[in-house]
Amino acid sequence: MATPETPATPTENHETVPKSEMIHEHSHEMVPENEMTHEQSHEMVPENEMTHEQSHEMVPENEMTHEQSHEMVQENEMIHEHNHVMVPEHEMTHEHNHEMVPEHEMIHEHNHEMVPEHEMTDEHHHEMVPEHEMAHEHHMVHGNEIVPRNEMVPDDELIPLNEMVLAEPQPNYIETPPNNLETPPSKRRKKKSIVWEHFTIENMGGGTRRAQCKQCKQSFAYSTGSKVAGTSHLKRHIAKGTCPVVLRNQQNNNQLSPYNSTPSKVSGYGGSTDPPKRRYRTASAPYLAFDPDRCRQEISRMIIMHDYPLHMVEHSGFLAFVQNLQPRFDMVSFNTVQGDCVATYLREKQAIQKVIEGVPGRICLTLDMWSSCYTVGYVFITGQYIDSDWKIHRKILNIIMEPYPDSDTAFSHAVAACLSDWSMEGKLFSVTINQPLGDSAVDNLRALLSVKNPLVLNGQLLVASCLARTLSSIAQGAFKFLHGTVKKIRDSVKYVKTSESHEEKFIELKQQLQVPSTKTLALDDQTQWNTTYEMLLAASELKEVFSCLDTSDPDYKDAPSMEDWKQVEVLCNYLKILFDTANLLTAPTIPTTNTFFHEAWKIQLELARAAANEDPSISSLTKTMQEEFDKYWKSCCLILAIAVVMDPRFKMKLVEFSFTKIYGEEAATYVKIVEEGIHELFLEYVALPLPLTPTYAEEVNGGALKQENGGAGEAGLTDFDAYIMETTSQQSRSELDQYLEESLLPRVHEFDVVGWWKLNRMKYPTLSKMARDILSVPVSTVTADAVFSTVGKEMDRYRCSLRPETVEALICAKDWLQNASVNTSLHAPIKMEVPI
């Protein structure tokens, strides 16, 4: 070991250097002892500073530069015998890389770097860590980064000293033993930087390796021998949008780079005057950019989908919630959110408009009048149709406010507004209304439609009654007829269900009597007639328990008599027919019209027989029920019969059978009415073809005959075209007869009648179009949740305070958005039991 006064000289340089000066190993210039010259730039540097090898920037003496070349050290250092590195005399040599280490410093066992005793090095990242921070074996504490010594951070990306930056993992260094003998590199450590998720290393030969971008395939310098270029330029290629592929993906996805939590201009790395912010490199999913316009759209969508009041955007609680969730969002006002909701409605309406224009057949409407506390009415207009894929759909089209809902022109005005709004003149097939109309109201409606829409069967299909409202009215009338009996049953159920001790006694008595009923008692909701029916049915099966309850419970009084139970049993028998039919209307799928002929004729037959029963208790109860349903049967019998004729399993046979049961000897007269009606309707389809929408035109051409652009040869084919039309019409007239003469299909419970016509549309081109329109006629005007309701719908007070246009936008947009979130194909085969 050399003494401090006698510094050793390099073994290969053989030059004498004065004590006060040191010679730069490349330029051989004289350098004062208080300065050290940079290896490449030959600039003078004060002794308290050392220059970076690559950027030529000044580094304070308390920072250590990267040891890649043969660096000169102060006079009290020795030269390592192999690597030519000057080491102070008081340093100790590491047993592997033969470097001199100060006795007060500890050598890291993996990276062979010199570490002051007050610092500890991360064993994977090769970085210096202050004594007050300790590096995790794989990641830095606090998520900060350490900048590698072989990388210089650009001026615009300098990190304050009080922030630590997570370092990129360094590539393995290749040590060169004496005599330049090449040895295999040491075992490579797994690269931890996210950079290597986007780059691959290519060996170019001669100890040169390059990094290739996985996205754009560009190649970048990485290492030559022991010289490593670092990863800063690779990181900038991905993080700052230099890579064209990454930039395009970020623009498409509106996402930030996975290297930065905020855009470059916000974080201070994109040339902004803002102070630099720390960057977090992580392999987690990229963040979405804050988009105030998107937030406004989501607020309007939330209000529409959940029927929230528009004024909620001004509520203090909601304002505080949004402010804490995203302080950068400027909350919208009532007028703004109202405009956003209307904009959402208009955007969705454009899509629905295209669908309506492309419907190949005609459209059926339902009209449902809602009342309000302000004596104005709101007409809900719903359209039902079968699209070009032979799927049945139902959508709310308009909400029309009527100042005088009881006037004779209310419904005709609403229909006229709907036809004009959706350009549906000439495409209307039928109208279903939820309440009986006077003669003048019907005349006004038919007069309007005869001008703007071709009449079908002289208007017989334009006005019908709502089946759900009819059934509810009949059930409500029956409960009213037996009001005293129903009240006794309700009070008895209330006595049992409103007291835990009473219910325990009731169950105990039921077990003693061994009553086999599995029904559960429950109080009814008098606005939903199905709950009253289910309460009566359950109590009727447990009547034996109620009859004996007063013996075990003296507090139970006013038990129903045997006559009361008999009336309840009769009532439940006939309500069951109505209940089963109404349940079909609550199905998630839209049933076709032919389904309800089976239900309607069974109700008509059973109530007619009950009204003629010799038992006065039965006849008196069912007489009013039969009279009310008879009105519905007379108004809807024709359309329901024509619809069932379009079912290849029944055709005219079921009409003949059912009419014989209902009308007896007069059945032939009513059967003839149906036959004439269906033939007349078919002739109208032959004479008045539907407008040639693109879908309809494609079906007419069938893909076989395509008209070419006009040419010289077409001038003389006008007569030929007329001949084709005439002969085609003559052939089409036989389609109906041919269909009726064919044998019936096997009767199965699950049968897709619309799908059958889709498969046979080429065989019956005109008849299939007529069947498509008939099978889409709705029999109910209400939604599934209101099928059993005994009270009319009423618009709430808040919506009545809004503009009519806003009310229409909110209700229609909700219906359209809900249908868009589920499968819009709502048609499915319906199970039916036909007693023949």
Side-chain angles (χ1 to χ4, degrees):
M1 301 292 292
T3 63
E5 290 76 11
T6 311
T9 58
T11 57
E12 297 179 0
N13 200 4
H14 304 293
E15 295 186 13
T16 302
V17 184
K19 179 178 181 179
S20 61
E21 296 182 351
M22 299 183 69
I23 301 176
H24 190 282
E25 61 178 349
H26 295 295
S27 62
H28 310 289
E29 296 180 1
M30 301 300 295
V31 186
E33 68 178 12
N34 62 346
E35 296 183 354
M36 182 174 287
T37 309
H38 190 281
E39 294 178 352
Q40 297 177 353
S41 63
H42 315 295
E43 296 179 0
M44 304 302 295
V45 186
E47 70 174 351
N48 61 347
E49 296 183 354
M50 299 182 69
T51 57
H52 192 283
E53 294 178 352
Q54 297 177 349
S55 63
H56 316 292
E57 297 182 0
M58 305 302 295
V59 184
E61 68 177 357
N62 59 353
E63 296 184 9
M64 182 174 290
T65 59
H66 194 283
E67 299 177 12
Q68 293 182 345
S69 59
H70 311 289
E71 300 179 3
M72 304 296 296
V73 244
Q74 296 183 4
E75 65 179 5
N76 59 348
E77 298 178 348
M78 318 186 57
I79 302 176
H80 191 281
E81 60 180 349
H82 296 297
N83 292 345
H84 315 292
V85 180
M86 302 297 295
V87 185
E89 67 174 359
H90 57 279
E91 294 177 353
M92 183 177 294
T93 306
H94 192 282
E95 62 179 352
H96 295 294
N97 64 0
H98 314 293
E99 294 181 357
M100 302 300 294
V101 186
E103 60 181 304
H104 62 279
E105 294 182 1
M106 181 177 295
I107 308 299
H108 192 283
E109 62 179 352
H110 293 295
N111 60 10
H112 317 296
E113 295 182 359
M114 291 167 47
V115 188
E117 63 180 349
H118 63 280
E119 295 181 359
M120 182 173 290
T121 308
D122 185 283
E123 63 181 10
H124 294 292
H125 291 181
H126 317 284
E127 301 299 332
M128 306 302 295
V129 185
E131 63 180 351
H132 64 279
E133 293 185 12
M134 181 174 292
H136 189 273
E137 187 178 34
H138 297 286
H139 304 286
M140 295 302 298
V141 177
H142 311 302
N144 296 329
E145 302 174 345
I146 299 179
V147 181
R149 289 193 300 271
N150 63 339
E151 295 182 22
M152 285 301 297
V153 181
D155 293 338
D156 59 345
E157 295 188 10
L158 287 176
I159 312 299
L161 295 177
N162 60 347
E163 296 184 6
M164 292 298 296
V165 184
L166 183 63
E168 313 289 349
Q170 294 289 339
N172 299 321
Y173 293 101
I174 302 178
E175 299 178 352
T176 305
N179 302 327
N180 295 328
L181 295 178
E182 295 185 0
T183 59
S186 60
K187 183 178 180 181
R188 299 192 181 277
R189 293 177 294 276
K190 183 178 180 181
K191 298 178 175 61
K192 298 294 183 181
S193 174
I194 195 174
V195 167
W196 303 115
E197 295 181 7
H198 302 274
F199 288 89
T200 58
I201 297 298
E202 295 182 333
N203 292 318
M204 308 302 295
T208 300
R209 294 186 296 170
R210 296 183 66 84
Q212 185 184 67
C213 177
K214 296 180 181 179
Q215 303 292 333
C216 63
K217 305 304 180 183
Q218 294 187 42
S219 180
F220 300 87
Y222 179 61
S223 67
T224 302
S226 62
K227 298 287 185 178
V228 181
T231 59
S232 294
H233 61 304
L234 306 181
K235 173 188 61 181
R236 288 191 291 270
H237 177 71
I238 297 296
K240 296 194 174 183
T242 307
C243 179
V245 178
V246 174
L247 180 61
R248 183 168 59 250
N249 292 339
Q250 291 177 356
Q251 292 174 349
N252 293 339
N253 299 331
N254 194 25
Q255 295 176 344
L256 298 179
S257 167
Y259 294 92
N260 297 308
S261 60
T262 55
S264 59
K265 291 185 179 181
V266 176
S267 61
Y269 293 101
S272 173
T273 58
D274 297 337
K277 306 290 181 65
R278 69 181 65 185
R279 295 172 296 170
Y280 298 96
R281 295 174 176 88
T282 176
S284 60
Y287 293 92
L288 291 176
F290 169 64
D291 187 350
D293 294 334
R294 178 66 180 272
C295 293
R296 285 177 51 181
Q297 292 179 9
E298 290 301 324
I299 289 178
S300 63
R301 181 184 177 91
M302 173 190 69
I303 290 176
I304 291 172
M305 292 293 292
H306 302 287
D307 297 326
Y308 295 144
L310 295 174
H311 286 86
M312 73 175 295
V313 297
E314 298 177 351
H315 295 170
S316 59
F318 186 71
L319 289 174
F321 168 74
V322 174
Q323 181 64 26
N324 284 277
L325 189 67
Q326 178 51 267
R328 296 167 57 193
F329 179 65
D330 295 330
M331 196 59 203
V332 295
S333 64
F334 167 82
N335 291 331
T336 302
V337 76
Q338 180 177 234
D340 291 344
C341 291
V342 173
T344 301
Y345 159 76
L346 294 176
R347 183 169 56 250
E348 296 295 327
K349 185 176 181 179
Q350 291 180 353
I352 303 298
Q353 183 73 56
K354 294 180 180 179
V355 174
I356 296 296
E357 293 175 354
V359 172
R362 293 179 178 176
I363 298 176
C364 304
L365 299 181
T366 67
L367 307 179
D368 189 14
M369 179 71 78
W370 286 32
S371 61
S372 71
C373 59
Y374 297 109
T375 68
V376 298
Y378 293 84
V379 181
F380 281 59
I381 304 180
T382 303
Q384 189 161 303
Y385 58 88
I386 294 178
D387 63 11
S388 56
D389 293 329
W390 293 80
K391 302 297 182 182
I392 191 168
H393 299 265
R394 185 172 187 171
K395 297 181 183 299
I396 296 179
L397 300 180
N398 292 100
I399 310 295
I400 308 296
M401 188 192 75
E402 290 295 332
Y404 306 99
D406 297 329
S407 65
D408 295 335
T409 60
F411 284 106
S412 60
H413 172 264
V415 172
C418 177
L419 295 179
S420 175
D421 187 25
W422 295 93
S423 302
M424 290 194 304
E425 289 84 353
K427 299 190 69 174
L428 183 60
F429 184 71
S430 72
V431 174
T432 305
I433 304 177
N434 70 335
Q435 64 187 45
L437 296 180
D439 294 339
S440 58
V442 172
D443 293 340
N444 289 333
L445 186 59
R446 287 180 176 175
L448 170 68
L449 298 176
S450 64
V451 175
K452 295 189 176 182
N453 193 78
L455 285 174
V456 180
L457 289 181
N458 296 321
Q460 295 183 69
L461 304 183
L462 291 178
V463 179
S465 300
C466 174
L467 179 59
R469 290 298 173 89
T470 300
L471 298 178
S472 296
S473 179
I474 295 174
Q476 191 176 14
F479 296 147
K480 187 176 181 180
F481 183 83
L482 295 179
H483 173 71
T485 302
V486 173
K487 186 179 184 303
K488 286 183 179 181
I489 303 299
R490 184 180 291 117
D491 290 341
S492 296
V493 174
K494 184 186 298 185
Y495 177 84
V496 173
K497 297 299 294 183
T498 56
S499 173
E500 186 174 348
S501 61
H502 295 170
E503 188 170 10
E504 290 177 355
K505 292 180 181 179
F506 186 86
I507 295 175
E508 182 180 355
L509 182 59
K510 175 188 174 183
Q511 294 174 351
Q512 292 177 1
L513 297 175
Q514 298 182 353
V515 177
S517 175
T518 59
K519 299 289 185 181
T520 302
L521 289 177
L523 280 173
D524 64 328
D525 177 2
Q526 297 185 46
T527 64
Q528 301 288 323
W529 71 266
N530 61 314
T531 63
T532 304
Y533 161 71
E534 291 170 345
M535 180 190 70
L536 296 176
L537 184 61
S540 178
E541 292 189 5
L542 296 169
K543 62 183 178 182
E544 186 178 354
V545 184
F546 279 106
S547 299
C548 299
L549 184 59
D550 56 353
T551 59
S552 60
D553 189 351
D555 294 333
Y556 176 64
K557 301 177 182 180
D558 298 328
S561 64
M562 295 305 298
E563 183 65 23
D564 293 332
W565 289 117
K566 181 179 180 181
Q567 290 179 339
V568 169
E569 186 176 354
V570 172
L571 178 60
C572 290
N573 287 338
Y574 292 99
L575 285 180
K576 184 180 185 305
I577 307 175
L578 308 183
F579 178 79
D580 292 341
T581 302
N583 262 335
L584 295 176
L585 299 173
T586 64
T589 57
I590 301 177
T592 49
T593 315
N594 61 299
T595 305
F596 296 96
F597 179 81
H598 306 277
E599 306 301 323
W601 80 264
K602 286 189 297 182
I603 295 175
Q604 177 69 11
L605 178 62
E606 293 297 329
L607 291 181
R609 287 177 176 177
N613 196 294
E614 296 180 356
D615 189 342
S617 62
I618 298 178
S619 60
S620 60
L621 171 63
T622 57
K623 183 177 181 180
T624 55
M625 299 173 65
Q626 190 273 334
E627 290 176 352
E628 189 163 358
F629 190 81
D630 189 60
K631 297 177 183 178
Y632 175 83
W633 174 256
K634 290 180 179 178
S635 64
C636 302
C637 173
L638 179 61
I639 183 61
L640 295 178
I642 294 176
V644 83
V645 172
M646 294 295 99
D647 190 332
R649 298 171 298 169
F650 304 106
K651 301 182 181 179
M652 285 297 301
K653 298 298 182 181
L654 183 58
V655 175
E656 296 170 359
F657 173 82
S658 59
F659 281 12
T660 302
K661 295 286 187 179
I662 296 174
Y663 300 110
E665 297 178 356
E666 299 179 357
T669 303
Y670 293 97
V671 170
K672 185 177 181 181
I673 294 176
V674 175
E675 289 180 341
E676 292 177 351
I678 195 170
H679 279 84
E680 181 181 350
L681 182 61
F682 178 74
L683 293 178
E684 290 183 8
Y685 271 80
V686 173
L688 298 173
L690 298 179
L692 289 181
T693 61
T695 304
Y696 181 83
E698 182 180 352
E699 292 184 1
V700 171
N701 294 330
L705 298 176
K706 301 292 183 181
Q707 294 183 355
E708 298 180 356
N709 294 332
E714 290 193 5
L717 297 179
T718 304
D719 294 339
F720 176 71
D721 292 338
Y723 169 76
I724 291 296
M725 292 293 294
E726 181 180 358
T727 55
T728 302
S729 299
Q730 292 176 355
Q731 293 176 358
S732 298
R733 290 189 184 98
S734 64
E735 283 184 28
L736 178 58
D737 296 331
Q738 178 183 352
Y739 166 75
L740 295 176
E741 291 172 0
E742 290 181 353
S743 59
L744 302 179
L745 292 182
R747 192 165 62 253
V748 294
H749 297 317
E750 292 187 4
F751 179 73
D752 186 358
V753 62
V754 177
W756 186 89
W757 282 106
K758 177 183 179 181
L759 295 175
N760 290 272
R761 66 185 185 278
M762 303 306 296
K763 182 179 181 180
Y764 306 109
T766 302
L767 191 60
S768 63
K769 295 178 178 62
M770 186 180 79
R772 175 168 53 194
D773 293 340
I774 292 173
L775 295 174
S776 65
V777 174
V779 299
S780 175
T781 64
V782 299
T783 55
D785 61 333
V787 168
F788 294 101
S789 178
T790 58
V791 294
K793 288 286 189 177
E794 181 177 354
M795 188 70 71
D796 61 82
R797 185 179 296 272
Y798 176 77
R799 285 184 174 176
C800 290
S801 66
L802 302 175
R803 296 183 304 174
E805 297 82 4
T806 304
V807 175
E808 181 179 52
L810 294 174
I811 297 176
C812 292
K814 178 182 179 181
D815 178 72
W816 300 339
L817 291 174
Q818 285 179 336
N819 288 336
S821 63
V822 297
N823 184 8
T824 56
S825 176
L826 298 178
H827 176 68
I830 302 297
K831 293 184 178 180
M832 295 180 297
E833 295 286 348
V834 184
I836 297 181

